Amino acid sequence: MIERRSLAALFLALPVAAQAQGADPLPSWREGPRKRALLDFVAAVTREGSGFVPPAERIAVFDNDGTLWVEQPAYPQLVFILDRIRTLAPQNPAWQQDAVFRAAMAGDLRGAMAGGHEGLMRLAGAAMAGNTPEAFQQIAADWLRMARHPKWNRTYPALVYQPMLEVLRFLRASGFTNFIVSGGGVEFVRAFAEETYGIPPQHVVGSSFALKVTEDAGRLTLLREPRVDFIDDGPGKPIGIARHIGRRPIAAFGNSDSDFEMLRYTMEGSGQRFGMIIRHDDAEREFAYDRESHVGRLARALDAAPALGWQVVSMREDWARVFV
Amino acid sequence: MIERRSLAALFLALPVAAQAQGADPLPSWREGPRKRALLDFVAAVTREGSGFVPPAERIAVFDNDGTLWVEQPAYPQLVFILDRIRTLAPQNPAWQQDAVFRAAMAGDLRGAMAGGHEGLMRLAGAAMAGNTPEAFQQIAADWLRMARHPKWNRTYPALVYQPMLEVLRFLRASGFTNFIVSGGGVEFVRAFAEETYGIPPQHVVGSSFALKVTEDAGRLTLLREPRVDFIDDGPGKPIGIARHIGRRPIAAFGNSDSDFEMLRYTMEGSGQRFGMIIRHDDAEREFAYDRESHVGRLARALDAAPALGWQVVSMREDWARVFV
């Protein structure tokens, strides 16, 4: 028993050992101030000394859309909702009477969004509620295996950012616990986070529908109701963090104004802190957007970053490679 | 680097290795069907074979009051609330006009509870809200270091059950992740769970007040409002589990009817499952109560246990030792 476990431990220790021998934990990051800042921060909190942070307090939080995977030309979950509305349409003829649903069924993103927040919530409820968390996660997982991004014809989980996977791995190997704190639906993100990012369901914080306890064939059953329970976005992110994690993170990674409060909450704690914003400025390899974008708008956080000591990553300059 | 980490890994592997060599992981449990059932379950899910469960799915959930620590003659958090009301009374003269508050200030538990759920929520709000999660946890931690249980004159965190600490440790050493799923306030339980049980804040699920984002001296601040956001009790427990953990547990430990739904949810999953109810039948060493008790009432779950395959622990017969 000792021998087998020691071998496993040796294997787990290899990445750290390799670093100690000079291997680069962030090979897809070009040398420069952003990479240097991250390496310095991790060194400072892990080595004995005034900046040392015990492993239990090494909490890192990551936004998902636009920070860990692609969010243009539309949030993958929104594409999922429209696909799902189309799938369910034959059983819901009444939807034909509703302009927002008609647009959704036609795959007309702009038309589907014309109903504003209220219209989107109705679409989301119709597409995603009325099932158990387990059944929904299966539906989402099936879609994620099948659906293809219009630009690259690859599945969405294949369009995660290699440099960020390296950050997740590097932090984990350095004793951090990584959490996703996403505006997306918690069960949608859980459907792929473990396989894709190595982040288990209990470390995913997200938006949610209300759950109701019912009975089904003599078994206690949880039903997802078409009623929003919590929006984990903007100011909701620090609330989700306090509620779910119960400890202020020491590192936060985001890409848009909806991560502003999460970055503030993280950075305004005492001691060593690290905040990073991924700026999408690479039209060739990915997308270029910030202040004017409807998806992943980045203005306020960009303006605030220099004074607040947040690192702004240029995808074009700082990343040698974008996708896995 | 490799060498030092391997030594650490060897050390971590020791408890498991010791078990393999015949040491008892549950020395405070008397030999008998309950201890045997727990050992058999853990052996079945950890050894290669048809019952094997991958470590990521080894989720165990524990009620807190009456399952991990003493809950008689009153829930410790209720004693805390009354103490806190007394502390805050001088700044709140209006409380003198309110019968429920007058009873609380007099330390009259029965009178304080006479206002029912509504009265209790008013007391709880007045005693516990209006501060940040961090400030509240500090207040709770200070109280937990100071307050003494009337029967033993020991602090409450000293009145945790040694046999259950052994279960927590044994499961952890067997690759499980332990969660507390408590009807108590999430920040109250977090104030001692890490030090007392080795369970970090992110693995504590509990009831909560609503949080509000505000500004204080230029810093983003979370304020706990005197408005209940979620009651993690009874049918709320499976909801809290689904919301927070996102994976159905394979083992659940409780002691009262408020754990009924959590045990059902756990046990009604497929594959190997383990459910255990601690029955307080030891008036000499602890307390004896079940069907007629106002605190920790146990009737429905007791009646259901045999048919549903839940283990009912007799504290008197099954535990060689009660407290640490």
Side-chain angles (χ1 to χ4, degrees):
Chain A
M1 204 59 159
I2 287 187
E3 272 172 59
R4 203 203 284 183
R5 288 181 64 97
S6 299
L7 277 177
L10 263 174
F11 179 76
L12 288 169
L14 277 179
V16 173
Q19 284 160 36
Q21 289 158 23
D24 183 353
L26 303 171
S28 301
W29 289 72
R30 293 205 183 100
E31 300 306 323
R34 266 68 66 184
K35 178 173 182 171
R36 178 49 41 209
L38 181 54
L39 291 172
D40 286 350
F41 166 74
V42 172
V45 299
T46 53
R47 112 192 117 209
E48 308 278 327
S50 65
F52 181 78
V53 176
E57 294 170 23
R58 293 182 202 155
I59 303 288
V61 287
F62 293 82
D63 167 59
N64 184 49
D65 293 311
T67 298
L68 296 179
W69 80 352
V70 72
E71 66 180 356
Q72 291 278 9
Y75 296 119
Q77 190 176 357
L78 182 57
V79 181
F80 165 75
I81 289 172
L82 297 203
D83 278 2
R84 184 99 188 121
I85 291 289
R86 254 197 305 271
T87 304
L88 298 173
Q91 302 137 52
N92 295 277
W95 288 353
Q96 298 291 349
Q97 312 308 316
D98 185 315
V100 166
F101 279 78
R102 269 202 313 278
M105 290 183 279
D108 167 13
L109 203 66
R110 197 171 291 262
M113 290 173 77
H117 182 77
E118 186 271 333
L120 270 181
M121 287 300 112
R122 281 197 297 127
L123 287 175
M128 300 198 290
N131 40 31
T132 68
E134 281 131 331
F136 175 74
Q137 261 177 243
Q138 191 56 54
I139 292 166
D142 290 346
W143 182 85
L144 286 160
R145 255 190 303 278
M146 177 274 298
R148 294 286 188 280
H149 190 281
K151 181 164 172 176
W152 294 281
N153 196 33
R154 298 177 68 183
T155 66
Y156 291 95
L159 296 170
V160 297
Y161 305 129
Q162 173 65 21
M164 295 308 292
L165 289 189
E166 291 167 6
V167 171
L168 289 170
R169 207 174 295 135
F170 175 48
L171 291 183
R172 198 178 301 124
S174 305
F176 279 75
T177 306
N178 298 324
F179 286 81
I180 291 178
V181 180
S182 172
V186 67
E187 285 117 351
F188 185 80
V189 180
R190 283 173 176 162
F192 65 96
E194 192 159 37
E195 193 180 323
T196 306
Y197 306 128
I199 295 182
Q202 64 264 33
H203 294 163
V204 176
V205 185
S207 299
S208 52
F209 285 126
L211 289 172
K212 187 175 138 184
V213 173
T214 60
E215 296 275 332
D216 181 23
R219 287 155 59 105
L220 185 152
T221 302
L222 298 175
L223 263 192
R224 301 168 72 249
E225 297 193 290
R227 178 167 60 83
V228 170
D229 180 57
F230 179 61
I231 297 281
D232 188 58
D233 209 32
K237 290 201 175 193
I239 292 175
I241 289 169
R243 178 70 63 249
H244 192 113
I245 308 178
R247 182 165 254 159
R248 198 188 285 246
I250 65 166
F253 300 78
N255 77 299
S256 80
D257 285 352
S258 65
D259 304 314
F260 185 71
E261 287 86 356
M262 174 172 85
L263 269 112
R264 277 194 64 191
Y265 183 61
T266 301
M267 299 298 283
E268 289 173 4
S270 57
Q272 297 275 343
R273 303 277 149 174
F274 187 81
M276 182 171 261
I277 299 219
I278 312 299
R279 187 175 187 183
H280 295 262
D281 59 358
D282 194 331
E284 243 173 79
R285 294 186 302 172
E286 205 240 9
F287 292 95
Y289 58 100
D290 47 35
R291 296 176 189 280
E292 305 303 326
S293 179
H294 287 291
V295 172
R297 180 168 185 270
L298 174 64
R300 194 164 51 129
L302 196 59
D303 295 335
L308 299 176
W310 305 351
Q311 303 292 326
V312 179
V313 169
S314 160
M315 287 181 71
R316 196 180 49 208
E317 289 168 28
D318 291 324
W319 288 3
R321 180 178 173 174
V322 173
F323 295 118
V324 292
Chain B
M1 205 59 160
I2 287 188
E3 271 171 61
R4 202 203 288 181
R5 286 182 66 96
S6 298
L7 276 177
L10 262 174
F11 180 76
L12 287 170
L14 276 180
V16 173
Q19 283 159 37
Q21 289 158 23
D24 183 352
L26 303 172
S28 300
W29 289 72
R30 294 206 184 99
E31 300 305 321
R34 265 68 65 187
K35 179 173 182 170
R36 177 51 38 210
L38 181 54
L39 291 172
D40 286 351
F41 166 74
V42 172
V45 299
T46 52
R47 115 193 115 207
E48 307 278 325
S50 64
F52 181 79
V53 176
E57 294 170 23
R58 293 182 203 156
I59 303 289
V61 287
F62 294 81
D63 168 57
N64 184 48
D65 293 311
T67 298
L68 296 179
W69 79 353
V70 72
E71 66 179 356
Q72 290 280 8
Y75 297 118
Q77 190 176 357
L78 183 56
V79 181
F80 165 75
I81 289 172
L82 297 204
D83 278 1
R84 184 98 188 121
I85 291 289
R86 253 196 307 270
T87 304
L88 298 174
Q91 302 137 53
N92 295 275
W95 288 352
Q96 298 290 350
Q97 311 309 317
D98 185 317
V100 166
F101 278 78
R102 268 202 313 275
M105 289 182 280
D108 167 13
L109 204 66
R110 197 171 292 262
M113 289 174 77
H117 180 77
E118 186 269 333
L120 270 181
M121 287 301 112
R122 280 196 298 129
L123 287 176
M128 300 199 290
N131 40 30
T132 68
E134 280 131 332
F136 174 74
Q137 261 176 245
Q138 191 54 55
I139 292 167
D142 291 345
W143 183 84
L144 287 160
R145 255 191 302 277
M146 178 272 300
R148 293 287 188 278
H149 190 280
K151 182 164 172 175
W152 294 280
N153 196 34
R154 298 177 66 184
T155 67
Y156 290 95
L159 296 169
V160 298
Y161 305 128
Q162 173 64 21
M164 296 308 292
L165 288 190
E166 292 168 6
V167 171
L168 289 170
R169 207 173 295 135
F170 175 48
L171 291 182
R172 197 177 302 124
S174 304
F176 279 74
T177 305
N178 298 324
F179 287 82
I180 291 179
V181 180
S182 172
V186 67
E187 284 117 353
F188 185 80
V189 180
R190 283 173 176 161
F192 64 97
E194 191 157 39
E195 193 179 324
T196 306
Y197 306 128
I199 295 182
Q202 65 263 33
H203 294 162
V204 176
V205 186
S207 300
S208 51
F209 285 125
L211 289 173
K212 186 174 139 184
V213 174
T214 60
E215 296 277 330
D216 181 23
R219 287 155 58 106
L220 186 150
T221 303
L222 297 175
L223 263 193
R224 303 168 70 249
E225 298 193 289
R227 179 166 60 83
V228 170
D229 180 58
F230 179 62
I231 297 281
D232 188 58
D233 207 34
K237 290 201 174 193
I239 291 175
I241 290 169
R243 177 70 64 243
H244 192 113
I245 308 179
R247 182 165 253 158
R248 197 188 285 246
I250 64 167
F253 301 78
N255 78 300
S256 80
D257 285 353
S258 65
D259 303 314
F260 186 71
E261 287 86 356
M262 175 172 84
L263 268 113
R264 278 193 64 193
Y265 183 61
T266 301
M267 298 298 281
E268 290 173 3
S270 56
Q272 297 274 346
R273 302 278 151 174
F274 187 81
M276 182 171 261
I277 298 216
I278 312 299
R279 188 177 188 181
H280 295 261
D281 59 358
D282 194 330
E284 243 172 80
R285 295 187 300 174
E286 204 240 9
F287 291 96
Y289 58 100
D290 47 34
R291 296 177 189 280
E292 306 304 327
S293 178
H294 287 292
V295 173
R297 181 169 184 271
L298 174 64
R300 194 164 52 129
L302 196 59
D303 295 336
L308 299 176
W310 304 352
Q311 302 292 326
V312 178
V313 168
S314 160
M315 286 180 72
R316 196 180 49 210
E317 289 168 28
D318 291 324
W319 288 2
R321 180 178 174 172
V322 173
F323 294 118
V324 292

